[in-house]
Amino acid sequence: MSDYRITLKPVYSCPAKELPLQVKLPESWSLSWHQLETWKAIRDPNIDVIFNTAMTGDGKSLAAYLETLLTDFCAIGLYPTNELARDQETQIQDYIKNFQPKIEPRVVRLSGQELEIYAENENLKKAAAIETRTGHAEVLLTNPDILHYLHRGKYLTRDDRSDKLWNRIDKDFDLFIFDEFHVFQAPQVASVINTMLLIRNTNRRKKFLFLSATPNRRLIERLRLAGFRCQEINPIDANKYQFPDTETQCQQLKAEGWRPISREISLQFISLEPSNKASETWLKENSNLILAHFQQYPGSKGAIILNSIAAVKRLTPFFQELLQPHGLVVGENTGLSGKTEKEKSLQADLVLGTSTIDVGVDFKINFLIFESADAGSFIQRLGRLGRHDGYERNGEKITFENFTAYALVPNFLVERLFLVDFPSFEVDGIYDRSFFQNQIRENYRRINDFEGYYSRWGAVQSVLICWQLGHKTIAQQYKDSQKAFKTACQEVFKTSLGRVAGNIKEWATEWQELSGKQQGNPIVEDAASFRGSTPLQCGIYDLTESNEVDRFKTYDLPGVLSNLEVETMTEAAFIRTLKETAQRTGQPIPKGRFAHCLAFMKLRSYREERLNWKFTYSGDLQPIADAWKVQVLIGIGIWQPDNNWAGEIDKRLKKQGLVCYVLRRPVSEVRMRLRLPMHFQIYPISDQYSIHEATAPYAIAFGQSALLLDTLAYTFKSEGGEIWMA
C-alpha cells in the first residue's frame, strides 16, 4: 500500500464580536461570526435571500433557527433526505430545551410516508391532512418535494381552489430554509426558483435561506435577475476561519473564543484501478487494518461510505463476522436499509453506508474510509469526520485520540495530486482546508452543472403555474400576480413562455397519436416533477431484512438486474403480504409508493458479481438517435440471457411509454465526455441490428435524465458516423 499521506490542519471558527441585547443565549453558549450575521440578515427588511456557506460542522442549523428560538418567527426547514430531517428534529428539540423560550415552538416533521399514514389514520384526504399538520406548527420540517407539489396543486380535488394549500402556508411561515442545497441538480434548482417566484408574486415578501458549504453562483445570479435582494455570508472570503499549526496556537484561539469545527485529520489516499469492485476488494484485503485501528484506539467509532448499495450489503456481514468477536457492533445505512436498521446504525462502532449518510447526518466518528465519484462527493464525505471530540456511552464521556481517513480514489487522481512535475501535495505535507478543497476541485472529476436546463426546461413549470393562476376559482384575485410572475420567469429562464406553451401542446398531440390516449403528457410530467418520474421502479419484498415491517421497499430495475437475486411475485400478492404484516404487527406501512411500480419481487440475496444486461429496442434506433430530441418511445425491453424472469418483465416494459433520449455512442464514453453524475439514469441499449454486439452501440437516458441529456446534445456534431465534442 503506497503511502500518499497528508495532514489537514484543524479549523477554528471566528466568534461574534458583540451580541445585540435581543439575542439571549443559554448559559456558556456563544455565537460564531456567521451565525450572528445570518440572524441579522434574517431580520433585515432589505434582504430577501441569504446564502450561508459556512463549512460543514460550523453550526449553520443554529444560525437558521435562532430567530425562531428568540421570537414567534415561523420557519419551514426543507431537507433532501428524511434521515436529515429526523436528525434536525432531534437537534431543534435540543435547542428548545436549552433556550427555554417563553412560548415553546411546536415542531412537526412531515414526509410523504408520514403524511400518507396520518391521512389514513385520521380518515382525511391528503390536502386536509397537510392543513391540519402544518396548522399546528411553528417549525415545519419536511422535504422540498412536498413544498414543490403543494405549490403545484398535487393534493387537491378538481373543485378545490388551486391556492387552497400554498396560500395559507406561504402566509403562515416567515422563513423557508433549504439545507444541503448543493446536492440538488438543475431540475430541482429550477423547481425551487419557480416556487420562490410564485411565493413572491402572490404573497408579502418572505425570507429564503440556503445552507450549503458549496455556493451556487449561478443560482444567486438568477435570483438577482428576478429582483431578489441577496446576501452571501461566506466565512472563508471574510477570513473568519483560522488553521493553526501548533497546539499552542489552538489553545490561544480557544482562549479568544474561537471554536474548533474540525479537528486535525490524517488523510491517506489509496490509489485504485477504476473498476467496479476495486474498493470492495481493497476493504476485504485490508480488513485487519480496520480491526487494528479499533484495537489500538479503544472507543473509536468509524464509517465506511461507498457508492454502491450492493457493495455495502455484501460487506456488512463480512465486517460483522470480523468485528463481533471483539465486541464491536457493525451497522448499515443505505437506501435499501430499513428504518429500524438505519436508526440502529447511528449507535454502531462501525457503520457502512452510501449517500444516505453523507448528506448532513451528524455522525460522531474518528475513523473514515470513503469512496467518491467526483470532487463534490469527495469533499462532502470527508466532511463527516473530525466534527466532534468524542461521544457519550452509558453516561461516560469517550474522547477520541485522533482522526484518520482513507480515501479510496482512482489512480489518475493520485497521479495528478502527487506525481506530476508540480504536484498539489507532497507526501507527509500539512495543508489547510481551503487550499486542500481547491486542489481537489481542480484535479478531480467535476460533474456537469447542466446550465442549459434552465432555459430549455425550467420554464415548463412556469407555464403550468401561470395556467394554475388563471384557474377560474382564483383568476380574478391573482390577475396582476400572474402577469408579474410571467415577466419574472421569462427574465430568469431567458425564454418566452408562449413558445414553451406551444411545445407543451405539441408534446400532448404527439403522445395522443402514439398512445391513442386523450389524456396525459409524459414529457411535461417529467419536466414538472421535482426529482423525475420513476417508470423503472420495482416493489421489493426484502427477505434479507430482519424487521418484517421494513421489508417493503422500492428499487430501480437496472439495480435489480445487476445486483439482486430475486423471484417475481404479483402485485396482489405483494399488497396482500403488506396488509397482513401491518395488521399482525399493529404498525402502519405506507403503500402509496408502490402504486406505479413496474413489477414486484422477493429479494433473496445480493449477487457477488454484477450480471450483464442491456435495454433493447425492437426497431431501428438510428433515426431515433438522429432526431436529437427527447421523445416518448414504446417497445423498449430488456435482454439478460441467464435470467428466467426477464422475459416477463420484458413484455411488460415494452408496453410502457418511456420518456427517453438516445445517443449513438456507448454509455461509458457518454458518461466520461459529458461528466455525468454518479447515479445518472443512462444505460446501454441495442436495436434489432446490434443485439449481438458485445458492447451496446447506443446509450439511452430516461425521465429527468433524458431532459438533462437533451441540454448537452448541442455539444455533439455528427460527421461521417463519428461523434465529437464541439
Side-chain angles (χ1 to χ4, degrees):
M1 186 166 64
S2 300
D3 195 359
Y4 299 105
R5 192 187 302 273
I6 64 171
T7 299
L8 297 176
K9 297 179 187 180
V11 184
Y12 281 72
S13 180
C14 179
K17 285 241 167 71
E18 245 179 80
L19 289 186
L21 292 173
Q22 303 99 307
V23 179
K24 308 281 188 203
L25 297 179
E27 195 176 338
S28 79
W29 282 44
S30 60
L31 292 183
S32 293
W33 171 84
H34 78 89
Q35 291 171 329
L36 184 60
E37 292 305 305
T38 302
W39 175 79
K40 287 178 185 172
I42 287 170
R43 290 173 60 93
D44 188 337
N46 298 309
I47 296 171
D48 304 314
V49 186
I50 304 134
F51 292 86
N52 182 319
T53 60
M55 283 188 184
T56 299
D58 197 9
K60 291 191 287 290
S61 293
L62 179 57
Y65 290 102
L66 184 57
E67 180 68 354
T68 301
L69 293 162
L70 297 172
T71 66
D72 58 355
F73 195 71
C74 296
I76 294 183
L78 301 154
Y79 300 94
T81 67
N82 292 331
E83 285 74 33
L84 183 51
R86 201 175 290 124
D87 186 65
Q88 287 295 308
E89 182 182 29
T90 304
Q91 196 165 20
I92 291 164
Q93 295 290 10
D94 191 52
Y95 289 152
I96 291 168
K97 193 170 84 179
N98 281 285
F99 273 80
Q100 297 185 341
K102 284 178 186 170
I103 301 172
E104 189 174 303
R106 295 166 296 178
V107 181
V108 169
R109 181 164 52 85
L110 192 63
S111 69
Q113 292 182 26
E114 285 156 347
L115 174 62
E116 183 183 334
I117 290 169
Y118 180 79
E120 279 187 14
N121 286 348
E122 301 295 323
N123 198 23
L124 295 170
K125 286 192 163 57
K126 280 190 177 176
I130 289 171
E131 281 188 302
T132 306
R133 296 291 283 149
T134 58
H136 294 93
E138 283 73 50
V139 175
L140 176 64
L141 307 177
T142 185
N143 50 57
D145 311 58
I146 286 179
L147 185 78
H148 168 86
Y149 287 116
L150 68 84
H151 280 89
R152 306 300 184 270
K154 173 172 177 173
Y155 305 107
L156 304 179
T157 65
R158 187 175 292 176
D159 299 326
D160 286 330
R161 282 174 58 97
S162 54
D163 69 342
K164 177 181 175 179
L165 287 177
W166 55 255
N167 185 38
R168 192 180 61 73
I169 285 171
D170 294 349
K171 278 189 167 62
D172 286 354
F173 290 91
D174 307 295
L175 175 66
F176 295 78
I177 301 161
F178 295 89
D179 198 13
E180 300 283 356
F181 198 67
H182 58 273
V183 305
F184 289 124
Q185 291 181 317
Q188 292 81 44
V189 177
S191 295
V192 167
I193 291 172
N194 272 299
T195 301
M196 289 173 68
L197 289 171
L198 174 61
I199 292 170
R200 179 182 169 161
N201 286 291
T202 55
N203 256 296
R204 61 187 187 274
R205 285 188 181 271
K206 294 293 178 175
K207 296 280 186 176
F208 302 93
L209 171 59
F210 291 86
L211 304 175
S212 173
T214 312
N216 186 330
R217 302 284 173 212
R218 298 279 175 83
L219 173 60
I220 297 171
E221 287 165 18
R222 287 183 185 280
L223 292 177
R224 284 191 170 133
L225 264 180
F228 284 101
R229 299 163 300 176
C230 302
Q231 179 169 329
E232 189 178 343
I233 294 164
N234 187 328
I236 291 177
D237 288 356
N239 292 317
K240 300 300 179 182
Y241 288 129
Q242 291 272 355
F243 310 97
D245 294 302
T246 65
E247 181 58 31
T248 305
Q249 289 176 355
C250 291
Q251 294 306 323
Q252 178 64 33
L253 286 171
K254 281 183 184 174
E256 293 170 10
W258 290 66
R259 188 165 53 85
I261 60 165
S262 185
R263 283 70 185 166
E264 180 178 285
I265 291 172
S266 169
L267 170 62
Q268 184 162 345
F269 290 84
I270 306 298
S271 177
L272 299 174
E273 289 292 327
S275 65
N276 272 338
K277 293 189 79 172
S279 295
E280 198 173 340
T281 303
W282 184 90
L283 283 161
K284 284 185 173 177
E285 289 175 353
N286 293 274
S287 57
N288 281 332
L289 179 148
I290 296 167
L291 174 59
H293 184 92
F294 282 106
Q295 289 175 327
Q296 189 176 351
Y297 305 106
S300 285
K301 278 185 176 278
I304 298 173
I305 308 178
L306 302 176
N307 298 334
S308 159
I309 289 177
V312 170
K313 290 286 188 177
R314 287 190 292 263
L315 284 168
T316 298
F318 172 85
F319 279 105
Q320 284 172 337
E321 196 175 314
L322 174 74
L323 299 179
Q324 273 176 353
H326 301 274
L328 297 166
V329 176
V330 177
E332 69 160 69
N333 195 319
T334 73
L336 268 182
S337 306
K339 183 182 170 188
T340 309
E341 181 65 45
K342 283 179 180 174
E343 287 170 359
K344 275 166 53 183
S345 76
L346 302 180
Q347 307 305 320
D349 297 298
L350 178 68
V351 59
L352 287 85
T354 55
S355 54
T356 51
I357 61 172
D358 67 44
V359 181
V361 175
D362 197 14
F363 278 91
K364 294 179 178 177
I365 57 171
N366 67 324
F367 180 64
L368 174 68
I369 300 176
F370 68 102
E371 267 187 310
S372 53
D374 49 66
S377 61
F378 185 105
I379 292 166
Q380 178 76 15
R381 290 176 176 183
L382 182 58
R384 300 299 96 207
L385 183 67
R387 296 161 60 122
H388 298 278
D389 288 325
Y391 62 97
E392 267 194 27
R393 183 167 58 197
N394 301 326
E396 180 192 358
K397 170 80 172 156
I398 311 288
T399 303
F400 294 137
E401 289 183 50
N402 55 18
F403 298 86
T404 306
Y406 292 86
L408 310 180
V409 296
N411 45 20
F412 74 80
L413 179 61
V414 169
E415 287 167 17
R416 288 179 190 172
L417 293 174
F418 289 93
L419 302 174
V420 293
D421 289 341
F422 300 99
S424 303
F425 306 135
E426 292 180 2
V427 172
D428 294 328
I430 301 172
Y431 302 98
D432 71 51
R433 225 53 72 94
S434 295
F435 174 80
F436 169 77
Q437 291 181 0
N438 286 336
Q439 295 309 305
I440 295 296
R441 289 190 184 104
E442 284 174 23
N443 289 285
Y444 203 178
R445 186 170 175 267
R446 272 191 171 185
I447 62 170
N448 207 303
D449 64 4
F450 301 101
E451 183 59 24
Y453 185 91
Y454 299 98
S455 57
R456 198 164 180 82
W457 294 102
V460 171
Q461 289 187 28
S462 310
V463 171
L464 300 180
I465 292 170
C466 268
W467 290 347
Q468 177 187 311
L469 290 172
H471 189 269
K472 61 184 180 184
T473 57
I474 62 170
Q476 195 56 40
Q477 181 183 347
Y478 291 113
K479 189 175 162 189
D480 293 338
S481 296
Q482 187 191 43
K483 279 183 192 166
F485 176 80
K486 180 180 176 181
T487 303
C489 289
Q490 292 186 147
E491 187 77 34
V492 168
F493 296 120
K494 295 183 168 48
T495 191
S496 154
L497 293 200
R499 184 181 62 76
V500 176
N503 291 340
I504 290 173
K505 288 168 183 171
E506 188 182 319
W507 295 324
T509 304
E510 288 173 359
W511 171 243
Q512 286 166 15
E513 290 169 359
L514 177 71
S515 66
K517 297 176 182 175
Q518 292 304 304
Q519 299 293 320
N521 193 335
I523 291 175
V524 169
E525 286 160 22
D526 264 311
S529 68
F530 190 72
R531 301 195 204 216
S533 62
T534 50
L536 303 175
Q537 197 165 70
C538 300
I540 300 290
Y541 181 61
D542 185 357
L543 295 171
T544 70
E545 170 67 59
S546 57
N547 186 332
E548 60 177 328
V549 172
D550 290 338
R551 284 181 183 162
F552 303 89
K553 302 169 181 179
T554 57
Y555 201 42
D556 62 303
L557 178 64
V560 173
L561 292 167
S562 298
N563 299 310
L564 308 189
E565 290 286 358
V566 302
E567 65 177 79
T568 56
M569 62 192 299
T570 64
E571 180 177 3
F574 184 90
I575 296 299
R576 186 171 61 249
T577 307
L578 184 150
K579 287 179 177 174
E580 286 170 357
T581 304
Q583 196 169 4
R584 188 173 62 257
T585 60
Q587 295 185 53
I589 304 171
K591 54 185 181 295
R593 62 204 151 128
F594 304 114
H596 303 290
C597 283
L598 174 69
F600 294 86
M601 302 161 182
K602 288 180 185 174
L603 166 56
R604 297 208 165 276
S605 62
Y606 293 84
R607 293 193 177 116
E608 280 301 317
E609 299 291 336
R610 287 171 69 92
L611 277 194
N612 287 330
W613 63 276
K614 59 187 169 186
F615 284 108
T616 61
Y617 184 65
S618 47
D620 182 2
L621 281 174
Q622 184 65 54
I624 290 165
D626 287 346
W628 298 93
K629 68 175 186 177
V630 173
Q631 44 202 313
V632 182
L633 295 183
I634 292 174
I636 291 168
I638 55 167
W639 181 84
Q640 192 174 42
D642 302 326
N643 184 333
N644 59 8
W645 52 263
E648 186 186 329
I649 303 293
D650 178 66
K651 279 184 203 164
R652 200 173 305 167
L653 191 58
K654 280 178 175 167
K655 296 174 186 171
Q656 304 267 343
L658 299 174
V659 176
C660 307
Y661 198 100
V662 177
L663 277 175
R664 189 164 50 88
R665 221 61 190 150
V667 164
S668 56
E669 184 179 336
V670 176
R671 275 193 174 279
M672 183 180 70
R673 284 182 147 189
L674 297 185
R675 298 181 289 116
L676 299 179
M678 183 169 30
H679 298 301
F680 197 84
Q681 282 187 294
I682 189 165
Y683 307 102
I685 185 168
S686 295
D687 61 8
Q688 67 183 74
Y689 303 109
S690 58
I691 186 69
H692 298 299
E693 290 183 25
T695 301
Y698 294 91
I700 187 166
F702 295 105
Q704 216 172 64
S705 291
L707 310 187
L708 287 164
L709 194 59
D710 175 59
T711 70
L712 303 176
Y714 72 92
T715 61
F716 285 100
K717 301 282 183 189
S718 183
E719 220 175 69
E722 286 297 310
I723 295 178
W724 50 277
M725 289 288 284

